């Protein structure tokens, strides 16, 4: 069985990548990632059974998050690095098997039933070539023969992948939860059960959406405890004459450690992509004045923008692309990120990155405009009375949530056009890197409230939810009754799980795009349309008229 991957919005021909991934993933890496998922299913089967007897190991629970995060789009492209994780996955599976069998014997006096087929019985190959061959045997299509059940299984798995990324960030900040760990094991194990039907997986997908709200809440709690509530902050997007390090990704703890280690060394630290909201946290910006500005835009523009950043560059989460030779020697990865030939930093010592930045020439003194970030739910709800008054007085007619993951596929200029055409008596909430389509434009304000409110990263969809729920409470109505239109861009699995969370809450009439997920079978899509009125974006003009009831 050859390569097949359909997990992101840019799936080739709207079906799936079967020669090489649009993201740059080659068949070798695709096979290793498929094997990682297969191995994690086996590990989860034993972990789920062991949990029934009260047996668990936190390091193994956490590895499941790391393993799933490894397979998220644009994370790990390094076959050697993935092979090392696969060996750990196998060792952990065997350990959980032994723990389960011991617990079963101690509690029942008998021998545990043996599992002789499927991922629980997987025996790891001895070399990289063998691992690739094993991965080729366990690709996406091998999970089920029924197209609708396969579609529902993929929805579950991609939800787990997205939630794993958020749970990983939360764990690094000291936030963990037993219910969350248990759901990962239960859900992965369920995907191997031939007795599960379509509605079983639909229910499981909704449960993942529910638990993901808890995970995003944990992550928000971790951010606030460490760095305070975000506050509206102007961020320069130009550079100043000094040494520089550019940080791309999502992980604030990693950024904080780098800021500590660069303090007093004559190095400015810049954010890129989803790291922009870091400037809104008082515990980062106010404490570390060398957290200077934001460079570049969304992830898909890195190949044309990074050659112009003369310092060191480090990715701490997904969104890495094939690096050009002009900056590859000053590029680093950290966490689950990997690319062949790019230096990977393990742990929390960033001295290699710092030394590389000191070797590089100064950045040019090239000041540009400033952009606003930091409108988390605490900041927005702090002026909720003005917002509510504005709505009641008719000064604010409608809210538009326009944001999500950006991408390179044609058609994403739709989001720029939509934001530009939103009437002046409407407020735009935005989050994630989709905001780069329009966050440098001028939108003005309504009674002192900026018309464009940057809520934060993709995981800060939690903040957007809190804002919507608070407004619904203030107006004594449901979220679906608010003057609110949700129009999302999606690219990968973190956006996917946020959609599951919105559906779990019963939020309807959401539009997503540019394309609908390739993994939705016609019947599953019809289910989503009939139950949630989920739709694909059309044109900015038509969607805006529909939202405004024109």
């Amino acid at each position: 069985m050859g390569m097949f991957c359909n997990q992101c919005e840019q799936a080739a021909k709207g079906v799936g990548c079967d020669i090489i991934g649009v993201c740059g993933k080659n068949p070798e890496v695709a096979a290793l990632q498929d094997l990682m998922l297969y191995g994690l299913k086996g590990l989860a089967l034993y972990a789920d059974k062991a949990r029934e007897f009260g047996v668990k190991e936190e390091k193994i629970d956490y590895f499941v998050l790391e393993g799933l995060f490894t397979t998220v789009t644009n994370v790990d492209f390094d076959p050697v690095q993935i092979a090392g994780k696969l060996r750990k996955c196998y060792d952990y599976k065997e350990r959980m098997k032994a723990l389960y069998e011991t617990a079963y014997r101690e509690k029942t006096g008998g021998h545990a039933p043996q599992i002789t087929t499927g991922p629980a019985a997987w025996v790891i190959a001895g070399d990289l070539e063998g691992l690739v061959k094993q991965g080729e045997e366990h690709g996406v299509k091998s999970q089920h023969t029924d197209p609708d059940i396969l579609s529902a299984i993929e929805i579950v798995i991609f939800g787990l992948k997205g939630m794993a990324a958020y749970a990983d960030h939360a764990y690094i900040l000291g936030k963990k939860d037993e219910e969350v760990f248990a759901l990962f094991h239960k859900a992965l194990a369920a995907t191997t059960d031939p007795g599960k039907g379509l509605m079983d997986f639909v229910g499981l997908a909704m449960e993942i959406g529910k638990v993901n709200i808890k995970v995003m809440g944990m992550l928000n709690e971790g951010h606030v405890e460490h760095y305070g509530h975000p506050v509206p902050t102007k961020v320069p997007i130009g550079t100043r004459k000094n040494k520089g390090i550019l940080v791309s990704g999502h992980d604030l703890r990693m950024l904080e450690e780098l800021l500590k280690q660069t303090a007093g060394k004559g190095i400015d630290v810049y954010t890129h992509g989803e790291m922009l909201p870091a400037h809104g946290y008082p515990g980062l910006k106010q404490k570390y004045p060398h957290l200077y500005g934001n460079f570049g835009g969304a992830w898909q523009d890195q190949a044309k923008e990074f050659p112009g950043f003369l310092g060191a560059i480090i990715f701490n989460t997904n969104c890495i692309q094939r690096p050009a030779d002009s900056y590859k020697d000053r590029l680093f990865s950290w966490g689950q990120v990997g690319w062949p030939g790019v230096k990977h930093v393990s742990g929390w010592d960033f001295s290699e990155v710092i030394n590389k930045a000191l070797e590089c020439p100064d950045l040019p003194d090239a000041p540009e405009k400033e952009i606003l970030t930091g409108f988390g739910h605490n900041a927005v709800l702090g002026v909720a009375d003005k917002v509510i008054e504005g709505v009641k007085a008719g000064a604010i007619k409608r809210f538009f949530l326009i944001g999500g993951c950006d991408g390179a596929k044609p058609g994403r200029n739709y989001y720029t056009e939509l934001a530009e055409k939103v009437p002046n008596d409407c407020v735009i909430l935005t989050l994630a890197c989709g905001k780069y389509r329009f966050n440098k434009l001028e939108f003005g304000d309504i009674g002192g409230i900026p018309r464009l409110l940057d809520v934060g990263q993709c995981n800060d969809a939690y903040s957007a939810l809190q804002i919507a729920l608070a407004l619904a409470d203030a107006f004594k109505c449901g979220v679906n009754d608010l003057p609110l239109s949700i129009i999302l861009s999606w690219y990968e699995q973190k956006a996917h799980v946020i959609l599951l969370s919105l559906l779990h809450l019963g939020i309807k009439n959401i539009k997503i795009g540019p394309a609908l997920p390739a993994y939705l079978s016609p019947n599953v899509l019809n289910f989503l349309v009939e139950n949630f009125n989920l739709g694909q974006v059309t044109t900015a003009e038509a969607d805006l008229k529909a939202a405004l009831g024109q």
Side-chain angles (χ1 to χ4, degrees):
M1 185 178 294
M3 172 181 176
F4 182 78
C5 182
N6 63 350
Q7 69 178 5
C8 85
E9 190 268 340
Q10 295 186 169
K13 300 177 182 178
V15 177
C17 299
D18 55 5
I19 299 175
I20 192 165
V22 173
C23 66
K25 178 168 61 177
N26 62 33
E28 180 184 41
V29 170
L32 293 172
Q33 291 187 356
D34 286 341
L35 186 60
M36 175 63 76
L37 181 60
Y38 186 74
L40 289 170
K41 289 180 179 182
L43 192 165
L45 275 164
Y46 283 119
D48 188 48
K49 289 179 178 295
R51 238 179 185 80
E52 295 176 5
F53 294 96
V55 176
K56 53 188 182 262
E57 278 197 6
E58 187 175 310
K59 67 179 181 181
I60 295 178
D61 292 341
Y62 179 54
F63 176 78
V64 173
L65 308 184
E66 293 181 305
L68 285 167
F69 197 177
T70 291
T71 68
V72 169
T73 302
N74 287 49
V75 176
D76 197 342
F77 295 82
D78 188 340
V80 175
Q81 190 164 293
I82 300 173
K85 296 175 185 178
L86 280 167
R87 284 186 281 274
K88 182 181 286 190
C89 181
Y90 178 74
D91 290 343
Y92 281 164
K93 176 184 75 77
E94 291 297 293
R95 174 159 178 77
M96 286 311 304
K97 176 184 178 182
L99 290 172
Y100 160 64
E101 291 177 344
T102 298
Y104 188 97
R105 185 170 58 251
E106 290 176 349
K107 292 291 178 69
T108 69
H111 293 288
Q114 295 296 299
I115 305 176
T116 58
T117 60
W122 167 53
V123 177
I124 192 169
D127 56 21
L128 183 60
E129 182 180 359
L131 292 173
V132 171
K133 288 181 179 178
Q134 286 185 330
E136 290 172 345
E137 296 170 0
H138 302 295
V140 172
K141 295 179 180 179
S142 70
Q143 297 179 103
H144 211 283
T145 56
D146 183 289
D148 294 327
I149 295 179
L150 175 59
S151 179
I153 287 174
E154 287 192 271
I155 290 172
V156 165
I157 287 173
F158 298 153
L160 292 174
K161 289 185 178 188
M163 186 165 66
Y166 297 138
D168 180 75
H169 297 325
Y171 188 89
I172 289 172
L173 290 167
K175 298 298 178 180
K176 55 194 175 185
D177 185 90
E178 174 60 23
E179 179 192 13
V180 174
F181 288 140
L183 178 60
F184 277 106
H185 300 152
K186 182 182 83 168
L188 282 170
T191 65
T192 70
D193 185 350
K196 299 288 186 187
L198 178 61
M199 294 312 296
D200 292 315
F201 291 112
V202 170
L204 197 51
M206 291 299 99
E207 185 177 358
I208 290 167
K210 175 184 177 181
V211 174
N212 183 61
I213 295 173
K214 171 184 275 195
V215 171
M216 291 193 297
M218 289 162 48
L219 180 52
N220 175 77
E221 187 178 80
H223 283 159
V224 170
E225 286 182 4
H226 282 77
Y227 313 116
H229 283 287
V231 296
T233 303
K234 291 182 178 181
V235 183
I237 59 174
T239 59
R240 66 182 179 187
K241 187 174 176 58
N242 208 357
K243 305 295 183 182
I245 297 175
L246 182 62
V247 182
S248 186
H250 305 73
D251 199 284
L252 298 187
R253 169 77 191 284
M254 174 268 164
L255 175 65
E256 179 189 26
E257 292 300 320
L258 179 65
L259 288 168
K260 288 178 182 177
Q261 294 174 39
T262 49
K265 294 185 181 295
I267 299 174
D268 287 330
V269 175
Y270 293 77
T271 56
H272 171 262
E274 290 263 48
M275 291 303 297
L276 168 62
H279 294 273
Y281 287 92
L284 292 174
K285 181 61 179 176
Q286 294 178 13
K287 190 173 180 179
Y288 304 102
H290 60 297
L291 175 59
Y292 174 66
N294 189 75
F295 182 90
W299 66 270
Q300 74 275 2
D301 294 328
Q302 63 192 261
K304 66 181 181 183
E305 292 177 342
F306 283 7
F309 188 86
L310 304 181
I313 305 167
I314 184 166
F315 276 86
N316 65 28
T317 57
N318 58 308
C319 293
I320 194 170
Q321 286 184 304
R322 179 187 297 277
D325 291 340
S326 60
Y327 61 87
K328 188 175 182 179
D329 67 324
R330 46 193 173 87
L331 181 64
F332 298 82
S333 63
W334 180 86
Q336 304 311 313
V337 188
W339 191 281
V342 170
K343 175 67 178 177
H344 185 79
V345 177
S346 297
W348 301 95
D349 181 358
F350 298 104
S351 56
E352 287 188 82
V353 183
I354 293 168
N355 290 336
K356 175 58 70 173
L358 292 171
E359 293 172 5
C360 292
D362 285 355
L363 302 183
D365 189 20
E368 295 183 33
K369 65 178 295 182
E370 294 179 320
I371 52 178
L372 268 172
T373 191
F375 290 96
H377 64 275
N378 189 68
V380 175
L381 296 181
V383 293
D385 55 339
K386 293 183 179 179
V387 174
I388 294 166
E389 180 183 338
V391 174
K392 289 181 176 179
I396 299 175
K397 289 290 197 304
R398 196 165 190 84
F399 298 88
F400 286 84
L401 176 55
I402 307 173
C405 301
D406 204 2
K409 191 174 183 178
R412 288 184 178 265
N413 58 318
Y414 161 92
Y415 297 95
T416 309
E417 294 173 11
L418 181 69
E420 289 178 320
K421 294 178 184 295
V422 167
N424 290 336
D425 56 4
C426 298
V427 172
I428 301 171
L429 300 170
T430 192
L431 49 80
C433 62
K435 63 174 160 273
Y436 283 106
R437 291 281 169 176
F438 48 80
N439 70 336
K440 296 174 184 176
L441 304 177
E442 297 295 337
F443 289 93
D445 66 86
I446 301 176
I449 299 170
R451 287 190 55 238
L452 180 66
L453 302 176
D454 179 1
V455 178
Q457 298 179 338
C458 54
N459 55 274
D460 289 314
Y462 177 81
S463 268
L465 282 176
Q466 298 309 305
I467 294 169
L469 292 171
L471 288 174
D473 183 64
F475 289 107
K476 308 301 181 187
C477 66
V479 172
N480 290 319
D481 301 314
L482 286 172
L484 169 67
S485 296
I486 302 177
I487 304 172
L488 303 177
S489 58
W490 80 283
Y491 176 70
E492 38 85 311
Q493 298 77 62
K494 290 187 291 181
H496 169 100
V497 77
I498 288 172
L499 180 60
L500 292 185
S501 293
L502 295 173
L503 298 182
H504 157 72
L505 291 171
I507 297 176
K508 298 183 179 182
N509 305 313
I510 300 168
K511 287 190 176 294
I512 63 171
L516 294 175
Y519 46 82
L520 293 181
S521 70
N523 288 332
V524 170
L525 177 58
N526 286 339
F527 174 87
L528 294 171
V529 172
E530 291 173 3
N531 288 275
F532 299 99
N533 199 28
L534 183 70
Q536 183 178 0
V537 300
T538 58
T539 66
E541 293 82 358
D543 291 343
L544 193 57
K545 285 183 179 180
L548 296 171
Q550 298 175 347

